[in-house]
Structure formats: C-alpha cells, structure tokens
Amino acid sequence: MRKKARYVNEDLCTGCGACAEKCPTTVANEYELGLGKRKAIYKFYAQGIPSVFCIDPNSCRTFQGKKCGVCEKVCQAKAIDYKQEDKILELNVGAIILSTGYDLFDATRIPEYGYGKLPNVVNAMEFERLLSASGPTEGHVERLSDIRDHHLINTTEKKLKKSTKSLENYEKKHKMSSDDFYKQFTAGNISDGDEFPKWAKQYENVQEGTKKLEELKAKAEKFDIATRLAFIQCVGSRDFRFNKYCSSYCCMHSLKEAMMAKDHDARTEAYIFNMDLRTVGKGFEEYKVRGAEQIGLHYIRGRVAEITQDENENPIVWYEETTSQTTKHMTVDLAILAVACEAPKGIEKMAEMLGADLDENRFFKTDPLNPLDTTVPGIYVCGCAQRPMDIPESVAQASSAACRAAEVVAGG
Amino acid sequence: MNKDILIIGGGIAGMQASLDLGDMGLQVHLIEKETCIGGKMAQLDKTFPTNDCAI
C-alpha cells in the first residue's frame, strides 16, 4: 500500500487554515465539481476528517520550482514539510472489505443533451452543490451562465482598474489628458516616443473594457434565481448504448432535489421527465406522492430526446409526452441530468490485483445467495462497488460485510 | 492468522464497516484516495427520504 505524501505533518497540523488563507494559488475545487475554487494547500471539504491540510504538488508554486514558501512561513505549528515522500506500507490482514464506490456517468457521452456545451445543463451532483448552503452559491440556485457572467464582471473590473491606473500615470508624466492625447495621436500630430503607442493601446483597452462592463452589468441586473427546473432521468442508465441496468437511486435524488429547490424558493416549478419513477424503499413511495400532492412537483412521463438553448442560454427540453402521445418542448432555467452510477475507473486493476472477478457491468461479481462475497474467499464487497444502491442500503450492506469479515478473523 | 481487517474506500459504506469492526474491538486499516474520508455522500446537500443534512 502506498501512503501518499501530504507535505504536511499530520501530527503537528492543527487544521487552523492560516496556510490556505495566505496561499497565492487558486485552482478549481474538485469537491465543488469545479464550480468553486480552492487553494493549492487545502482540505477536501471544511468538515473533512482527518482535519489536516494537504498540498497539491501539481498546483503549488514551490513544487513548480517557483519562489513561494508562504504556507511554511505562516504555519505556527511548523507542520509544512515540502520534503515528505510517499511511503510504502505493508499490511498483513485477515480479511478485506471493498467499498470502492462508484463514478458518475460522464454526460458528455450523450451529445444530444448538450452537457459541457450548454452552460445551463448540469448534472445532479453539481445541482446538489448549488443547493448546498455551504456550496459555491451559498444555496442560491443560480444559472451557471449567470455565475460565469458575475465572474466575468469581476475580472473585467479588475483589469479596468489596472488599465485606468496606468493611464493616470501617463497623464501625470506628460501633463495631458488621455482623451486629448488619443485625439492628437490618431490624427498623427504626435508620434514621438516609444510610450505613445502603448498609451494609445491602454486608452483603447479602457474604452473597450468600460463598454463591455456596462453591457454585462445591464445583463446582470436581470439575473434571477433559476426557478424553472427540468430533471432528466436515466441519463446513461437504462440506455442500451451505455448501461442497461437501472442506477436505482436517481429517481429519489431528483425528487429530493426538486423538493429542496422548491423549499429554497416557493416560485420554483420543477418538472421531472421520467420513464417511470422507481421509488422502491421504505417510505420512498410516500415521498413521491407527497412531492406531487403537497409540494406540487410535475412528473412528466416521456424520455427527453434533445436539449437545445434559446438566445438567453435557457435550455429548451424536447420530449415526447407519452400520456398524450405528443412531442413537445419546454424552456427552463436549468436542466439537471440524473446521471448513471458507473463502476469506478481503475476497478479492473483492483480486481486483477486481488484476483476477484467483475460482472458484465464492471461491478464486483457476487453470488445472489451470498451478495457480499466476492469470488475470492475472505474478500467482501459492500455499497456501490457491488451494484448501484442508495445510502440506507449501503449502510446496511456495510454492517453485514463487517460481520462477515469479523467471522473470518474470529476463526468462524 | 492476522486479525486485522483492510477496508478499501472511505465513503459511507467503508466508514460504516470500519466503525462496526472497531466496535467489535478489531484493528481496521481504512484506505481512502482523497485527503479526507466521506466520499460522495459528503458532497450531498440533503439525503432522502427524510431530507436530513448529509454531513
């Protein structure tokens, strides 16, 4: 087993976060699925256990050979250790439990849904982060195109400030207003000096930037919370091109996300496009009924064929409504794809290492009568490594797998 | 035979299995590829069917 280097001493780090506050490097945050940012020294999420920070050598300035070392300076616990190395540990164990989980289906594999191309088509996990009070939007369900434009306003403002400052410097130096200078420069009255073309260019930048900023701000004034939501079910599952199986939990998470969105903003209208809503589980059917009758969610029976967008980047969902046998379309603020649960990348390598077999869907192969036993004695599997399942089922399987493993080491 | 148990993956299933085995008094080694345990569930906002907070 390889224990990866954190470049932070676990025994010394107190998890105070002073290092991440001062770290000059920001990169996309994997925990927020790229919707938020994190520093090069980071904790996966705020409540994460162990509460120890970790340096990402791929983005840290020190590891890229640049001058930095800020975290080392600010760390009062003296926990930063750039020289830490990966350690190989050898473990001798009596039993193994595989709880390797799953990967989300990559929705770009279905080009007709426009994921990755249309800004306001998101997957369910991204929507989950948008709903979260600790997420990138603090729980406000905003359209991704609005988030992008807000970001653009910030960067344009910063650039403009810099350019305006350099104009002021030129004005002071040459005792001339930039407007006058530009008129004379373009008329060809003054051409001497290396600085003049630079000044003119900077002046043009400011003019362009101001115009762009005004346009963006006018657009941003109309931005509102996304209230028309389309949930598209079975994206990558129950689809013979990709995965034939049902991912089992997506119907429930779409119902939940629609309910939560309605809870955040009562104006929300949520449409769930489904083949059938499979709410199998204790209390699940009642949950679905409550969603329709008390919360006012709309369930539409029909598979979505395509998603396009209008001039305001609002997704247009094209679908067949099977109950009325008509093809229809609907414009919404956000389209949320309930992506399939797939066996994780690298599961083949792990199976080969352990000598365990995989089934036709790349999950660990088990016997119907011994659902936790892999094909290797003493190696057990639980959770989504076995097949797609929801949290209550995963927890139940985990406890069972723990008992199976305990039986082995207890000599039973 | 060695009585230690190895658990690969520190998501909700791996954590539950570790806790159960720990309560039985067994030594557990829990491996997680990320810097913190929690897995996908830690990314969720609420969980069905009770709409409880995930973390």
Side-chain angles (χ1 to χ4, degrees):
Chain A
M1 177 191 124
R2 175 188 295 270
K3 186 179 178 201
K4 285 210 234 158
R6 277 181 191 269
Y7 307 108
V8 174
N9 187 324
E10 289 159 40
D11 299 328
L12 296 178
C13 178
T14 59
C16 71
C19 48
E21 210 172 284
K22 298 280 184 222
C23 175
T25 314
T26 17
V27 289
N29 186 341
E30 298 89 352
Y31 175 70
E32 304 286 4
L33 299 130
L35 297 174
K37 296 260 188 283
R38 68 159 169 83
K39 296 295 182 71
I41 183 161
Y42 72 110
K43 211 157 78 170
F44 190 50
Y45 59 103
Q47 299 89 340
I49 302 280
S51 189
V52 172
F53 278 74
C54 169
I55 296 177
D56 167 16
N58 296 321
S59 55
C60 171
R61 288 174 64 89
T62 304
F63 283 91
Q64 302 299 316
K66 291 178 193 157
K67 246 179 122 176
C68 187
V70 171
C71 47
E72 197 176 21
K73 271 177 225 144
V74 299
C75 182
Q76 291 183 347
K78 306 248 171 296
I80 309 291
D81 178 6
Y82 296 120
K83 291 196 184 71
Q84 209 177 65
E85 279 174 8
D86 290 4
K87 279 185 207 148
I88 305 289
L89 303 176
E90 210 175 278
L91 297 175
N92 190 1
V93 296
I96 300 178
I97 296 177
L98 302 171
S99 49
T100 47
Y102 67 102
D103 275 350
L104 295 171
F105 174 80
D106 174 14
T108 56
R109 287 166 68 193
I110 308 185
E112 56 268 33
Y113 285 169
Y115 180 79
K117 278 182 295 188
L118 311 182
N120 295 320
V121 178
V122 299
N123 72 28
M125 192 59 109
E126 290 166 342
F127 189 71
E128 200 78 44
R129 295 315 304 155
L130 290 180
L131 275 177
S132 173
S134 60
T137 56
E138 295 170 342
H140 300 294
V141 181
E142 290 174 24
R143 300 193 315 155
L144 292 201
S145 63
D146 295 359
I147 297 173
R148 177 202 65 201
D149 286 347
H150 278 306
H151 184 69
L152 207 59
I153 287 175
N154 284 341
T155 48
T156 319
E157 259 173 358
K158 260 187 213 159
K159 255 195 230 162
L160 204 60
K161 217 172 161 186
K162 220 171 152 189
S163 303
T164 317
K165 195 145 194 201
S166 77
L167 278 192
E168 277 167 15
N169 286 340
Y170 285 126
E171 283 173 4
K172 247 186 227 161
K173 198 171 165 193
H174 297 280
K175 295 191 178 64
M176 195 193 296
S177 87
S178 291
D179 290 323
D180 283 346
F181 156 77
Y182 192 70
K183 263 182 217 154
Q184 296 207 26
F185 180 79
T186 41
N189 291 345
I190 40 170
S191 54
D192 289 350
D194 295 340
E195 276 190 355
F196 288 164
K198 277 190 205 158
W199 188 357
K201 183 84 199 144
Q202 205 64 269
Y203 181 80
E204 282 165 10
N205 283 347
V206 170
Q207 298 299 323
E208 247 173 66
T210 317
K211 206 176 140 197
K212 196 169 145 196
L213 197 63
E214 271 170 19
E215 279 170 15
L216 278 171
K217 279 190 170 163
K219 195 172 155 195
E221 266 176 26
K222 290 181 203 137
F223 288 168
D224 197 4
I225 302 293
T227 49
R228 285 175 66 82
L229 308 174
F231 291 87
I232 289 105
Q233 297 308 111
C234 302
V235 176
S237 44
R238 299 175 76 192
D239 185 332
F240 276 53
R241 295 171 298 171
F242 307 104
N243 301 303
K244 291 178 191 171
Y245 57 83
C246 166
S247 294
S248 79
Y249 58 66
C250 338
C251 286
M252 283 300 285
H253 75 52
S254 287
L255 286 174
K256 177 203 70 185
E257 286 169 1
M259 270 190 208
M260 294 323 298
K262 189 111 184 167
D263 194 42
H264 287 207
D265 195 317
R267 292 173 297 165
T268 302
E269 289 298 333
Y271 302 88
I272 302 179
F273 296 88
N274 62 87
M275 292 200 267
D276 46 6
L277 282 172
R278 297 186 159 178
T279 51
V280 186
K282 192 171 179 174
F284 290 8
E285 182 67 16
E286 292 87 333
Y287 192 76
K288 176 175 83 177
V289 173
R290 182 156 64 96
E293 290 181 355
Q294 291 174 24
I295 318 255
L297 309 180
H298 308 279
Y299 307 150
I300 299 176
R301 188 173 186 278
R303 202 157 171 134
V304 172
E306 193 180 3
I307 303 174
T308 56
Q309 66 177 12
D310 68 6
E311 68 280 6
N312 295 319
E313 297 180 293
N314 286 321
I316 307 171
V317 179
W318 299 83
Y319 63 101
E320 182 197 11
E321 195 181 70
T322 50
T323 43
S324 63
Q325 294 184 328
T326 43
T327 48
K328 291 183 170 179
H329 62 91
M330 180 190 284
T331 308
V332 292
D333 297 330
L334 266 181
I336 300 108
L337 308 179
V339 286
C341 165
E342 281 193 329
K345 214 168 48 189
I347 196 169
E348 285 89 355
K349 204 171 160 193
M350 175 155 292
E352 199 190 315
M353 253 163 56
L354 301 168
D357 291 344
L358 298 179
D359 63 20
E360 69 275 19
N361 296 318
R362 298 171 51 243
F363 294 104
F364 282 104
K365 191 170 181 177
T366 53
D367 182 79
L369 297 177
N370 294 302
L372 308 172
D373 296 24
T374 64
T375 48
V376 183
I379 301 184
Y380 303 98
V381 60
C382 62
C384 287
Q386 196 239 34
R387 64 168 175 81
M389 67 181 70
D390 57 29
I391 295 165
E393 261 188 294
S394 293
V395 172
Q397 274 211 346
S399 290
S400 313
C403 290
R404 294 287 286 147
E407 274 172 18
V408 172
V409 296
Chain B
M1 186 171 67
N2 196 306
K3 289 198 186 305
D4 290 7
I5 291 169
L6 173 69
I7 299 186
I8 306 173
I12 181 64
M15 291 193 296
Q16 180 68 43
S18 304
L19 287 171
D20 285 1
L21 289 165
D23 285 345
M24 292 178 210
L26 292 164
Q27 177 77 46
V28 179
H29 305 276
L30 176 63
I31 306 183
E32 167 57 42
K33 68 176 177 202
E34 285 299 340
T35 63
C36 297
I37 55 171
K40 294 267 194 311
M41 184 173 168
Q43 288 176 295
L44 303 180
D45 174 37
K46 299 275 162 42
T47 57
F48 59 76
T50 48
N51 294 349
D52 285 330
C53 195
I55 296 182

